Amino acid sequence: MTSDIRAAATAVITRDSDAGLEILLLRRHKQLKVGGGHWVFPGGTLDPEDYDGAANEEQAARAAAARETMEEASISLRAHDLLLLSHWTTPPAMGRRFATWFFLAEGDNAEVLVDGEEMDDFLWGAPEHFLQLHRRGDLALLPPTVVTLAELAACGTQLDAKRFYLDRTVPYFQPLISSHNDVICMLYDGDVGYAAIDPTLSGPRNRCYLEAGVWRYEFSIT
């Protein structure tokens, strides 16, 4: 990893409810320069202490995801229980770049208490509900959050979510930014246009469009 890309980790915390699977989102304090006002999963950059006793960066990331979740939301997670679901690297065109490990975690009985500094509010809700709020412009989300929520929207329970991520190869997203129909198009590996950075090609889709400040995820295998 180059020195200008910071390692980070985040925990996608789930719970089962009478209405189905729910996810925890925290709102980054509006006064923060980076991502202020956006709703995110708890997490942050890896600290030197996270590497203590870790055999590799993934193990350090597990420790960081658990530590950050406690600091930001007062939820206790066990690092070894976390399930790796994806890894995202910020595109080169972005000012500050992160290589972020995403982990799935269960939080059925978790009482959330935001720190009031980095995070100033929280919501539990169904993935599709959050996506609908985002499409209406009522919930600011970033592409990795949108993609993860879109995946979880197809899962009815925590067990479904765990099975989904265990049954697939962990994707390492390295987005490439282009333009399509006069809007920003962010391409991911598996998209027909990824290798050529050409979103006009016909075929499988794995991409996000930024339309009027709202990210729309498009995925298809044909």
Side-chain angles (χ1 to χ4, degrees):
M1 185 183 302
T2 60
S3 58
D4 61 338
I5 303 178
R6 302 184 65 183
T10 192
V12 182
I13 301 176
T14 66
R15 73 179 184 186
D16 288 326
S17 73
D18 292 340
L21 182 68
E22 293 188 334
I23 312 300
L24 176 66
L25 292 182
L26 309 182
R27 186 175 64 189
R28 289 185 60 79
H29 200 290
K30 294 181 179 180
Q31 295 182 353
L32 293 176
K33 293 182 179 179
V34 180
H38 281 84
W39 291 85
V40 298
F41 308 119
T45 56
L46 274 63
D47 286 349
E49 66 192 74
D50 299 319
Y51 289 91
D52 292 342
N56 50 47
E57 186 176 280
E58 181 186 334
Q59 288 188 7
R62 291 173 178 275
R67 175 183 53 76
E68 288 281 348
T69 299
M70 173 56 71
E71 293 175 358
E72 295 176 350
S74 297
I75 295 176
S76 178
L77 300 176
R78 294 187 297 184
H80 64 273
D81 287 339
L82 303 179
L83 174 63
L84 178 62
L85 60 91
S86 63
H87 184 280
W88 290 76
T89 300
T90 310
M94 308 299 287
R96 298 182 65 180
R97 303 184 66 196
F98 299 90
T100 306
W101 302 82
F102 279 63
F103 297 99
L104 190 70
E106 296 185 356
D108 287 330
N109 299 312
E111 181 178 353
V112 183
L113 180 63
V114 295
D115 63 1
E117 296 180 2
E118 288 189 71
M119 305 298 176
D120 63 8
D121 203 357
F122 73 92
L123 287 173
W124 283 101
E128 182 57 35
H129 175 64
F130 287 146
L131 292 172
Q132 290 175 0
L133 291 176
H134 179 59
R135 288 192 285 267
R136 296 204 304 258
D138 295 332
L139 201 73
L141 300 174
L142 296 171
T145 312
V146 170
V147 172
T148 305
L149 288 173
E151 294 172 346
L152 289 167
C155 303
T157 65
Q158 288 180 320
L159 182 58
D160 291 338
K162 186 174 182 179
R163 285 173 174 168
F164 172 78
Y165 290 116
L166 284 172
D167 287 345
R168 76 167 184 181
T169 300
V170 175
Y172 283 68
F173 289 87
Q174 299 191 51
L176 299 175
I177 300 177
S178 183
S179 177
H180 189 206
N181 296 329
D182 297 323
V183 300
I184 292 175
C185 179
M186 194 170 289
L187 300 167
Y188 309 128
D189 190 21
D191 190 284
V192 64
Y194 184 78
I197 318 180
D198 183 359
T200 66
L201 299 178
S202 298
R205 292 284 192 267
N206 191 18
R207 61 180 66 179
C208 271
Y209 289 102
L210 181 59
E211 300 164 331
V214 173
W215 289 100
R216 177 174 61 86
Y217 183 46
E218 189 172 308
F219 178 83
S220 68
I221 59 175
T222 58

